[in-house]
Amino acid sequence: MSQIEAVHRSAELAATACAEVLGELLDAEGSFDGVDVRDSSAAPWGELSFPLVCIAVKLAGGVNGEYLFVLASDQARAVASTMLGVDAGDDQGELSDIELSSVAEAINQVMAKVAAALAEQVGAPTEIASPTTDIIASQEKAAALGEASFTAQFTVRAGALSASLVQVVPAEFAAILASSFGPGETSVPAADADADAEPGNAPVEADADLAGSTLAAVESTAGIVATSSAEVLTALIGEVVTATTPSIEEPSDDPLGGLGYARVLVEFDIVSGVDGGSLLVLTRSDSATLAAVMMGLDEPMGDGLSDIELSAVAEAMSQMM
């Protein structure tokens, strides 16, 4: 398979995932226009209008590389409004940190589906890192991102939303995609896996200990949640927030038995791509502090937790998840 054919297939995976994610968010049928792939090695950024919102997502495991998406500010605002459940209106100002975080979360959901499709294609687990976002103000700044050999453009529609995205692909990643999609490369034997791969990214040996691999998966998932939580809080308060490394414990018959009560429990159901659920547990004081941050208050409202505060905590967790 040629590189341009591989880029086209990769972009179709992304476009399909975008249509599914936006369709689920708007409870409407999602679709996309035909993917237009161009060899842009001479001037990869020449046909794009600035400023642009740039979202990068790194892949590791079965496929190693980075997906780079760019979209115009008004398109990014439309996607953010969909994620936040608000009307974009006629606002033409700069995108807020919350809007950028919401766009990143939309791409995160898209890339989770893409990674699952790639993993099925190559026969090895493929994981994604948390998206990073940036505003590209000029063609010169875009060129500083590095060489780009191909661009793949598609328009996604769901309900009243229409958004055009461009995937920018460097030659190195195009070669990786061509190898992954090409004949004879549809599976990666465990014996050929990279011995230096990070824990949780390498294919699991057939005789690997199930408990150990499960704990590694839980650790990887917890790390993603911790990183996302720090990013959301950083966007909310305007200061850098960091997260400690998650501590993973062996399963027990009473996993919540050692906690002090009362607690605030936030439960999520995860569907499509990965089916399951997450249960996040916070102290009352931490919940009150988080609610105050969400509502733009200097300190918690009071001793108890009102319905508004609980709703604010749920919204914060929704952005993190």
Side-chain angles (χ1 to χ4, degrees):
M1 176 179 291
S2 68
Q3 290 188 9
I4 196 168
E5 289 173 333
V7 171
H8 192 280
R9 181 178 295 187
S10 167
E12 283 189 333
L13 290 177
T16 301
C18 282
E20 291 178 358
V21 168
L22 294 177
E24 291 167 1
L25 288 170
L26 293 171
D27 193 22
E29 182 177 356
S31 63
F32 68 92
D33 289 348
V35 177
D36 180 20
V37 178
R38 300 184 183 183
D39 182 342
S40 303
S41 55
W45 303 98
E47 298 180 359
L48 302 179
S49 299
F50 296 87
L52 293 169
V53 178
C54 174
I55 308 99
V57 184
K58 291 185 178 179
L59 299 173
V63 176
N64 293 280
E66 183 177 64
Y67 271 70
L68 189 67
F69 297 98
V70 293
L71 63 165
S73 296
D74 60 334
Q75 305 281 284
R77 175 163 281 118
V79 173
S81 299
T82 298
M83 293 293 295
L84 295 170
V86 299
D87 185 0
D90 297 325
D91 190 357
Q92 299 296 321
E94 292 185 0
L95 290 161
S96 67
D97 289 339
I98 293 297
E99 287 176 312
L100 291 174
S101 177
S102 298
V103 175
E105 174 55 26
I107 296 298
N108 188 53
Q109 293 185 30
V110 168
M111 285 306 302
K113 293 178 179 290
V114 172
L118 289 173
E120 183 178 356
Q121 174 73 37
V122 303
T126 298
E127 298 183 358
I128 61 172
S130 298
T132 59
T133 58
D134 192 13
I135 301 296
I136 305 177
S138 66
Q139 186 169 331
E140 290 72 22
K141 185 176 180 180
L145 295 175
E147 178 189 0
S149 295
F150 301 95
T151 58
Q153 184 168 350
F154 55 86
T155 299
V156 183
R157 294 183 173 84
L161 175 66
S162 176
S164 296
L165 287 86
V166 178
Q167 182 186 351
V168 181
V169 185
E172 182 180 1
F173 188 40
I176 292 173
L177 291 171
S179 175
S180 300
F181 290 136
E185 298 294 331
T186 56
S187 64
V188 179
D192 294 335
D194 185 354
D196 295 327
E198 294 181 6
N201 287 340
V204 180
E205 296 279 348
D207 59 351
D209 178 71
L210 178 59
S213 64
T214 300
L215 286 176
V218 172
E219 184 176 20
S220 177
T221 302
I224 292 173
V225 173
T227 301
S228 298
S229 300
E231 290 178 351
V232 168
L233 291 175
T234 295
L236 287 171
I237 68 177
E239 298 180 8
V240 176
V241 176
T242 60
T244 60
T245 302
S247 175
I248 310 301
E249 297 182 1
E250 294 281 353
S252 67
D253 294 333
D254 188 12
L256 302 181
L259 300 178
Y261 290 88
R263 294 272 175 161
V264 174
L265 277 67
V266 186
E267 183 177 8
F268 291 89
D269 290 325
I270 303 173
V271 297
S272 184
V274 175
D275 295 319
S278 289
L279 183 66
L280 305 178
V281 185
L282 298 86
T283 64
R284 292 171 65 95
S285 61
D286 286 344
S287 299
T289 300
L290 181 58
V293 170
M294 290 294 294
M295 293 186 291
L297 303 177
D298 293 332
E299 58 184 25
M301 296 174 63
D303 294 334
L305 284 169
S306 66
D307 289 341
I308 293 178
E309 288 175 298
L310 289 175
S311 177
V313 171
E315 173 57 25
M317 293 299 171
S318 178
Q319 292 187 34
M320 294 173 186
M321 290 301 297

